[in-house]
Amino acid sequence: MYLNELYKDIEKYVDQEITLKGWIKSIRKQSNFGFIDFSDGTCFKRIQVVYTDDLANFDKIATYSLGSSIKVVGKLVKSEGEKQDYEIKATNIELLGDCDKDYPLQAKGRPSREYLREIAHIRPRTNLYQAVFRIRSVAAFAIHEYFQNNGYLYVHTPLFTTADCEGSDQMFKVTTLDFDNLPVKDGKCDFSKDLFGKKTYITGSGQLHGETFAMAFNKIYTFGPTFRTENSNTKTHANEFWMIEPEMAFMDLEDLMNVEEDMLKYIVNTVLDKCKDEIRFLTLFVDEGLHDKLTTLVNSNFYRVTHKEAIDILKNADVKWEFEPSYEEDIAKEHEKYLTEHFNGPVFVYNWPKDIKAWYMKLNDDGKTVAAVDLEVPGAGELMGGSQREEDIDKLNKRCSELGVETSPIEWFMDLRRFGGCVHSGFGMGFERLIMYLTGIDNIRDVIPYPRTPNNCDF
Amino acid sequence: MYLNELYKDIEKYVDQEITLKGWIKSIRKQSNFGFIDFSDGTCFKRIQVVYTDDLANFDKIATYSLGSSIKVVGKLVKSEGEKQDYEIKATNIELLGDCDKDYPLQAKGRPSREYLREIAHIRPRTNLYQAVFRIRSVAAFAIHEYFQNNGYLYVHTPLFTTADCEGSDQMFKVTTLDFDNLPVKDGKCDFSKDLFGKKTYITGSGQLHGETFAMAFNKIYTFGPTFRTENSNTKTHANEFWMIEPEMAFMDLEDLMNVEEDMLKYIVNTVLDKCKDEIRFLTLFVDEGLHDKLTTLVNSNFYRVTHKEAIDILKNADVKWEFEPSYEEDIAKEHEKYLTEHFNGPVFVYNWPKDIKAWYMKLNDDGKTVAAVDLEVPGAGELMGGSQREEDIDKLNKRCSELGVETSPIEWFMDLRRFGGCVHSGFGMGFERLIMYLTGIDNIRDVIPYPRTPNNCDF
């Protein structure tokens, strides 16, 4: 059986014989008995296995290395020790797979996260990453649950695109051509010879395609990998990450904020419910405020302020800013931090100056701001960004020509405004940002199984 | 409210006023009343809206175009017509978004699927694609549910890789370099100038990385997009598709087959339960055997035959083969078809000749076959392919050197055999193949929102 099954209803198994397969997390021996700290990876909890010299291979067992895989047969009993409630009195222990002596995780010392990144194939076996990656999995499923239970369609928008209207400088190019022998025509690379017959990119967003499905299925979401070429080595940027992009017909900016708030609370509630051991561990060893932060969030109402109101608050603050707050500009990291501390919780900032936001966002009646909203959360900054979309074809065309956005490659997108268009809204949430928020981990490299950052695409 | 909510408990709403927002699927007018076939996209079912000249804008409503978005307020009543059980007697109808006259979906005629592919942004509004893409979404979630409920960890394996051991000829290359101005060193493209400092690919499989997580979390699965450069224009190949790759510690080939069978039945059961209207429609208009095929599957035991037994069956068959069945070779499409018809259901073919299978598969004691298994299903051919993995480091090294697989870029993968390795197995399932099987649709282009095939990367 599996440990997660055992722990689900452990009283039921007391005095019964059970069989487990898993790994030795530590092992020690006294004169005529010994202990194995045993994990099978299916839950954060481990279990203590007691072996005695009643076992024929008692001396042999004591030589098994930390990290080895074993099969344990034994009886579950209430423990006499203080550290754990239950333990297994082994009647048989069998070595399945030995562990070489150069195993990088040894009993002594706590390796640094920097070192653990260098052994990314081994680090998932440590407590820290057991906690982080289980929360990652639980949160991913919670997102699917939330949208599926609320009538959203999951749509796989394409990753390859030949339209570079989103800003091709931020997109990776993909090709089947031979770099050492590129076909050339008129002095330029001849992409007509490439597999798709055109210069091809990996998209950084499924939003535009998502909208086409929202106009057919009403409420949709995407959840898939996303790529940006950003050459920046910060704690919050990676070149490969996952993103969730819901898009909803007939919803305005206020409806959008409601969905964002409702979704985030659902995710946090689910993680608090399903990952108690993980959150406890992370609160003890990573971020002592974590548990409080998450429980506070699910019981709070998120504040909603306009960009102008936010700038007012920042200007009135008794703080010496590195970047002076401005009604015309984006808010900086230091501002995000101040705002979430000021409100002591998540805060929506909406109605942004149009000049610093994207071309597809709904122009407000003031002609100056767009119906965009960013959600700022304590500790992680901007977690979601969204907007009501411009559904007026004339205003959208005007905005595109003002900003030099070429609409010919996205006629299909413009069509949505001509064929039964409607008020609609959507947002994007960076999944890794969410995991950082949920775990208290401050470096994106530690919430991605195999992070890809500039000059770092190992494993 | 939404139509899917309404239909969940429709009796409850009889004689109540409800408000819906959605689209006109057809509209007609008699002298003093008219009908609108209304859909809001949240479920396959539509509802009939009756409007009468009691409404101030009666004449105006009659001019609304098919495809327009509208808001309907009205009372739900039991219908007097024969076609539907319920209808809405409108008290107010408001136009939200008009639909231009060149709307490609008109009331008359049924457009070909080839034509619909050319309007991929509009086709999700048709009955056919409403059915297909809702089943796609439901099946995707069923897969997550199955694995999460059974204690698997969802892991996001990386898509970018600098290791080309999987066969770089089948992988797309990705770059940030300028194709018209490539850096050159010693006559070759200098990838040290690229973002990752190395030649980089998009992987075609997360399996190797998945195994590292199975050795930490026991049972894991991936579910993400996959890319192959295959330049083939068949009904079953696309260059971008989604794949599910579970990997399980302590499971052998038989356990693996059990998981595959159990999972597939769970998915099919879920789709039969949640997509009744969609399956009914597809059985009527696409594949008359669909409903029977699916219900038969969930109640059957999948047959399990060795590759040798399968070849025996094929050789004994009274069929003139295009490709002669051979004990040393793969089985062709025509063989797959025969086998699933012979067994009248899904069939596992296992223990394949090692020379036609991958380097990481477990060598059987006969020294000639590997513990690999393909699942063949009626109508879709090979739906899943998996194997027990070679956990013996010496045998694996030997196999790699026989086949010229360079192990230095995957030392981390080899490490798994040195650090507490164990019997383990995994499989891959092409998600689009599954959707073709579930819908009866025979062309992969019709089960992907925006298909990417050679010379076709539009939208």
Side-chain angles (χ1 to χ4, degrees):
Chain A
M1 76 181 309
Y2 294 103
L3 262 187
N4 66 336
E5 295 168 0
L6 181 68
Y7 275 118
K8 233 175 243 168
D9 197 5
I10 195 161
E11 268 298 328
K12 203 174 88 180
Y13 294 98
V14 170
D15 289 332
Q16 296 205 17
E17 185 186 272
I18 55 178
T19 301
L20 293 167
K21 291 175 183 174
W23 293 273
I24 297 174
K25 293 298 176 179
S26 73
I27 181 162
R28 60 201 165 91
K29 194 192 100 156
Q30 318 274 7
S31 58
N32 56 350
F33 63 96
F35 299 104
I36 293 171
D37 187 21
F38 174 93
S39 164
D40 77 353
T42 60
C43 58
F44 193 78
K45 278 203 183 79
R46 301 165 173 188
I47 197 154
Q48 177 165 282
V49 176
V50 185
Y51 62 102
T52 67
D53 57 6
D54 290 345
L55 302 184
N57 58 344
F58 175 69
D59 288 327
K60 188 85 191 163
I61 293 170
T63 67
Y64 293 168
S65 324
L66 185 159
S68 301
S69 63
I70 55 172
K71 177 178 167 181
V72 175
V73 183
K75 198 164 77 170
L76 184 76
V77 295
K78 295 226 176 194
S79 174
E80 291 154 21
E82 285 175 8
K83 275 192 178 171
Q84 59 282 319
D85 296 331
Y86 302 90
E87 61 190 22
I88 294 174
K89 289 223 179 298
T91 51
N92 191 42
I93 295 178
E94 184 186 331
L95 184 69
L96 299 178
D98 201 2
C99 191
D100 284 4
K101 297 301 170 203
D102 59 336
Y103 188 51
L105 301 178
Q106 292 300 329
K108 281 176 194 161
R110 195 186 297 172
S112 73
R113 287 188 215 163
E114 288 73 19
Y115 170 68
L116 289 168
R117 278 175 217 145
E118 291 168 23
I119 49 165
H121 61 311
I122 300 294
R123 70 175 184 172
R125 306 178 186 194
T126 64
N127 272 329
L128 180 66
Y129 295 94
Q130 283 276 314
V132 168
F133 292 128
R134 194 166 291 108
I135 288 174
R136 189 176 166 112
S137 173
V138 167
F141 185 56
I143 289 166
H144 281 294
E145 270 185 329
Y146 177 80
F147 288 113
Q148 297 268 343
N149 292 344
N150 285 286
Y152 288 66
L153 186 98
Y154 180 32
V155 54
H156 292 137
T157 48
L159 279 87
F160 283 170
T161 176
T162 49
D164 63 353
C165 58
E166 293 169 55
S168 58
D169 52 325
Q170 289 194 25
M171 293 197 285
F172 285 92
K173 287 155 272 191
V174 296
T175 188
T176 59
L177 297 174
D178 178 357
F179 281 89
D180 296 323
N181 194 14
L182 290 182
V184 174
K185 197 179 168 187
D186 303 333
K188 295 218 157 206
C189 180
D190 180 9
F191 289 104
S192 74
K193 300 282 195 296
D194 211 341
L195 188 72
F196 295 117
K198 287 181 189 171
K199 194 168 181 179
T200 310
Y201 304 89
I202 313 186
T203 182
S205 165
Q207 179 202 319
L208 303 194
H209 297 91
E211 284 191 42
T212 67
F213 269 65
M215 292 302 121
F217 290 93
N218 206 315
K219 299 188 287 184
I220 67 97
Y221 70 106
T222 71
F223 191 166
T226 313
F227 306 88
R228 300 255 167 97
T229 56
E230 228 161 340
N231 193 347
S232 81
N233 265 302
T234 77
K235 287 182 167 189
T236 51
H237 286 94
N239 298 111
E240 179 177 337
F241 54 99
W242 284 62
M243 195 147 77
I244 296 97
E245 294 185 286
E247 194 75 30
M248 293 81 74
F250 308 112
M251 283 204 193
D252 63 16
L253 193 69
E254 181 135 353
D255 298 324
L256 182 73
M257 290 190 259
N258 293 342
V259 171
E260 291 187 20
E261 181 169 342
D262 196 40
M263 177 197 71
L264 183 57
K265 286 177 176 173
Y266 182 84
I267 298 167
V268 172
N269 261 323
T270 304
V271 168
L272 283 172
D273 179 46
K274 292 191 181 172
C275 301
K276 290 190 178 70
D277 296 321
E278 290 82 356
I279 295 293
R280 192 178 301 125
F281 172 86
L282 292 166
T283 304
L284 269 172
F285 294 103
V286 173
D287 174 5
E288 61 176 9
L290 180 65
H291 184 264
D292 280 356
K293 180 184 80 178
L294 297 179
T295 47
T296 303
L297 176 125
V298 294
N299 296 309
S300 66
N301 288 316
F302 296 7
Y303 288 90
R304 301 180 181 196
V305 297
T306 63
H307 180 267
K308 182 179 172 306
E309 289 165 344
I311 300 296
D312 283 339
I313 291 168
L314 295 169
K315 281 185 177 295
N316 289 329
D318 187 20
V319 176
K320 193 162 161 44
W321 301 112
E322 190 185 342
F323 300 96
E324 199 53 38
S326 155
Y327 296 108
E328 281 80 41
E329 282 169 40
D330 203 353
I331 58 177
K333 280 257 164 256
E334 57 178 338
H335 306 149
E336 294 176 354
K337 189 163 180 295
Y338 181 86
L339 286 171
T340 55
E341 283 167 4
H342 176 82
F343 288 104
N344 192 28
V347 52
F348 287 111
V349 181
Y350 66 98
N351 285 354
W352 290 70
K354 67 174 181 179
D355 292 337
I356 59 168
K357 287 288 182 182
W359 54 274
Y360 48 73
M361 294 180 175
K362 173 84 185 161
L363 190 65
N364 285 325
D365 290 342
D366 61 15
K368 292 178 188 166
T369 61
V370 287
V373 61
D374 285 357
L375 176 65
E376 311 289 345
V377 294
E382 187 198 329
L383 181 59
M384 305 180 211
S387 75
Q388 194 174 323
R389 316 306 190 188
E390 183 59 79
E391 82 274 9
D392 184 310
I393 183 80
D394 297 327
K395 287 187 189 160
L396 187 60
N397 271 320
K398 184 158 170 281
R399 195 77 189 120
C400 284
S401 69
E402 276 171 19
L403 295 173
V405 174
E406 209 193 323
T407 56
S408 60
I410 49 164
E411 275 307 325
W412 50 272
F413 177 76
M414 309 304 276
D415 270 357
L416 301 179
R417 279 77 189 157
R418 301 198 300 116
F419 299 141
C422 63
V423 167
H424 64 290
S425 301
F427 68 95
M429 175 170 71
F431 185 59
E432 279 73 15
R433 283 278 171 88
L434 173 73
I435 304 306
M436 292 171 73
Y437 178 73
L438 293 171
T439 58
I441 297 280
D442 68 351
N443 194 316
I444 198 167
R445 291 163 184 78
D446 295 324
V447 300
I448 301 180
Y450 293 91
R452 270 66 176 110
T453 52
N455 282 311
N456 175 27
C457 185
D458 299 327
F459 295 97
Chain B
M1 75 180 307
Y2 293 104
L3 262 188
N4 64 337
E5 296 169 359
L6 181 69
Y7 275 118
K8 234 176 242 168
D9 196 6
I10 195 161
E11 269 297 329
K12 202 176 87 179
Y13 294 97
V14 171
D15 289 331
Q16 297 205 16
E17 186 186 272
I18 55 177
T19 301
L20 293 166
K21 290 174 183 174
W23 293 273
I24 298 175
K25 293 298 177 179
S26 72
I27 180 163
R28 61 201 164 92
K29 194 192 99 160
Q30 318 274 7
S31 57
N32 56 351
F33 63 96
F35 301 104
I36 293 171
D37 187 19
F38 175 93
S39 162
D40 77 354
T42 60
C43 59
F44 193 77
K45 279 203 183 79
R46 301 165 174 188
I47 197 155
Q48 176 163 282
V49 176
V50 185
Y51 61 102
T52 67
D53 58 6
D54 290 346
L55 301 183
N57 59 343
F58 174 70
D59 288 326
K60 188 84 191 164
I61 293 169
T63 68
Y64 294 167
S65 324
L66 184 160
S68 301
S69 62
I70 54 172
K71 176 177 166 182
V72 175
V73 183
K75 198 164 77 170
L76 184 76
V77 296
K78 296 227 175 192
S79 174
E80 290 155 20
E82 285 175 6
K83 275 193 178 168
Q84 58 282 321
D85 297 332
Y86 303 91
E87 61 191 20
I88 294 173
K89 288 221 179 299
T91 52
N92 190 42
I93 296 178
E94 185 186 330
L95 183 69
L96 298 178
D98 201 1
C99 191
D100 283 4
K101 296 303 169 201
D102 58 336
Y103 187 51
L105 301 177
Q106 292 301 328
K108 282 177 192 161
R110 194 186 296 172
S112 74
R113 287 188 215 164
E114 287 74 18
Y115 170 66
L116 289 169
R117 279 175 217 145
E118 291 169 22
I119 51 166
H121 61 310
I122 300 294
R123 69 175 184 172
R125 306 178 185 193
T126 63
N127 272 329
L128 180 66
Y129 294 95
Q130 283 276 315
V132 168
F133 292 128
R134 194 167 292 106
I135 288 175
R136 189 176 166 112
S137 173
V138 167
F141 186 55
I143 289 166
H144 281 294
E145 270 185 329
Y146 176 80
F147 287 113
Q148 297 267 343
N149 292 344
N150 285 285
Y152 288 67
L153 185 97
Y154 179 32
V155 55
H156 292 137
T157 48
L159 279 87
F160 284 170
T161 177
T162 50
D164 62 354
C165 58
E166 294 168 55
S168 57
D169 52 326
Q170 287 193 27
M171 292 198 284
F172 284 92
K173 287 156 271 192
V174 295
T175 188
T176 60
L177 298 173
D178 178 358
F179 281 90
D180 295 323
N181 194 15
L182 290 181
V184 175
K185 198 179 168 185
D186 303 333
K188 294 218 158 207
C189 180
D190 180 8
F191 289 104
S192 74
K193 299 284 194 296
D194 211 342
L195 188 72
F196 296 117
K198 288 180 188 171
K199 194 169 180 177
T200 310
Y201 304 89
I202 314 187
T203 182
S205 165
Q207 180 201 317
L208 303 194
H209 297 92
E211 284 190 41
T212 67
F213 270 65
M215 292 301 122
F217 291 93
N218 206 314
K219 299 188 286 184
I220 66 97
Y221 71 107
T222 70
F223 191 166
T226 313
F227 305 88
R228 301 255 167 95
T229 57
E230 229 162 340
N231 193 348
S232 79
N233 265 301
T234 77
K235 286 183 168 188
T236 51
H237 287 93
N239 297 111
E240 178 178 336
F241 55 99
W242 285 62
M243 194 145 80
I244 296 96
E245 295 185 286
E247 194 76 30
M248 293 81 76
F250 308 113
M251 283 205 193
D252 63 15
L253 194 71
E254 182 135 350
D255 298 324
L256 182 74
M257 289 191 260
N258 292 343
V259 171
E260 291 187 21
E261 181 169 342
D262 196 40
M263 177 198 70
L264 184 57
K265 286 176 176 175
Y266 182 84
I267 298 167
V268 172
N269 261 323
T270 305
V271 167
L272 282 172
D273 179 46
K274 292 190 181 173
C275 300
K276 291 191 178 69
D277 296 321
E278 289 81 357
I279 294 293
R280 192 178 301 125
F281 173 86
L282 292 166
T283 304
L284 268 173
F285 294 104
V286 173
D287 173 5
E288 61 176 10
L290 180 65
H291 184 264
D292 280 356
K293 181 184 80 178
L294 297 179
T295 47
T296 303
L297 176 125
V298 294
N299 297 309
S300 67
N301 288 316
F302 296 6
Y303 288 90
R304 302 181 181 195
V305 297
T306 63
H307 179 267
K308 182 179 172 308
E309 289 164 345
I311 300 296
D312 283 340
I313 292 167
L314 295 168
K315 280 187 178 292
N316 288 329
D318 187 20
V319 176
K320 191 163 162 44
W321 301 112
E322 191 185 342
F323 300 96
E324 199 53 39
S326 155
Y327 295 109
E328 281 80 42
E329 282 170 40
D330 203 353
I331 58 176
K333 280 258 165 253
E334 57 179 335
H335 306 148
E336 295 176 355
K337 191 165 179 294
Y338 181 86
L339 286 170
T340 55
E341 283 167 5
H342 176 82
F343 288 104
N344 192 26
V347 52
F348 287 111
V349 181
Y350 67 97
N351 285 354
W352 289 69
K354 67 174 180 178
D355 292 336
I356 59 167
K357 287 289 181 183
W359 54 273
Y360 48 73
M361 293 179 174
K362 173 85 186 161
L363 190 64
N364 286 323
D365 291 340
D366 62 15
K368 291 178 188 166
T369 61
V370 286
V373 61
D374 284 358
L375 176 65
E376 310 288 346
V377 293
E382 186 197 328
L383 181 59
M384 305 180 211
S387 75
Q388 194 174 321
R389 316 306 191 188
E390 183 59 79
E391 82 274 10
D392 184 310
I393 183 80
D394 297 327
K395 286 187 190 162
L396 187 60
N397 271 322
K398 183 157 172 281
R399 195 78 188 117
C400 283
S401 69
E402 278 171 17
L403 294 173
V405 174
E406 210 194 324
T407 57
S408 60
I410 48 164
E411 275 307 326
W412 52 272
F413 177 77
M414 309 305 276
D415 270 356
L416 300 179
R417 278 78 189 157
R418 301 199 299 118
F419 299 142
C422 63
V423 167
H424 64 290
S425 301
F427 68 95
M429 174 171 72
F431 185 59
E432 279 74 15
R433 284 277 171 90
L434 173 73
I435 304 306
M436 291 171 74
Y437 178 73
L438 292 171
T439 58
I441 297 280
D442 68 351
N443 195 315
I444 198 167
R445 291 164 184 77
D446 296 324
V447 300
I448 301 180
Y450 292 91
R452 271 66 176 109
T453 52
N455 282 310
N456 175 26
C457 185
D458 299 325
F459 294 97

